[in-house]
Amino acid sequence: MQHGKIGAALGNKDLVVGDLSKRIRRGKNTTRAVEIHNFAGGKLVDTCGFSVAESIDIKPEELIYYYEDFLKVQNKCRFANCKHISEPGCAVKKMLEEGTFDKDRYGRYVKLYRELEERRKKLYV
């Protein structure tokens, strides 16, 4: 076990980081309790026993409720049901253009939104 770079990225927390498994080439479980950390404008949840997390099962249009920063400017969008992807007059897209919103965070939002759309389509095939 070692104390790793992840702790530094989370505000110099002294987190234990295990070595990679030689057999499966993935990290070994070192988490002993669930912890929630503020990280990169969102929340990072460190849980026991999970190596891959599935997207939450919500409707694509409900994803915005998990993005507080989107909700804060929602009323400035041209359309009340703005998806913040390709609609004209979108306040989130304007913030991106102005450089006041993190492009990586927005990219993750779009990716999640698309995944939720695809999952929804498969339910009704």
Side-chain angles (χ1 to χ4, degrees), residues 17-74:
V17 179
D19 297 324
L20 293 179
S21 165
K22 289 179 179 145
R23 185 174 61 84
I24 61 173
R25 298 182 188 173
R26 290 179 27 192
K28 297 178 188 176
N29 186 22
T30 58
T31 302
R32 301 289 176 240
V34 175
E35 292 185 29
I36 301 173
H37 305 277
N38 292 318
F39 184 71
K43 304 286 185 193
L44 177 71
V45 181
D46 187 10
T47 61
C48 308
F50 289 98
S51 58
V52 177
E54 284 290 319
S55 298
I56 51 177
D57 188 24
I58 61 170
K59 296 175 185 173
E61 60 273 13
E62 294 173 344
L63 183 60
I64 187 174
Y65 298 113
Y66 295 86
Y67 284 75
E68 293 176 19
D69 36 3
F70 284 30
L71 288 173
K72 289 177 184 175
V73 297
Q74 178 75 21

Side-chain angles (χ1 to χ4, degrees), residues 2-4 6-8 10 12-17 35 37 46:
Q2 59 189 16
H3 297 273
I6 295 169
L10 292 172
N12 293 320
K13 293 190 181 280
D14 191 23
L15 300 177
V16 176
V17 179
E35 292 185 29
H37 305 277
D46 187 10

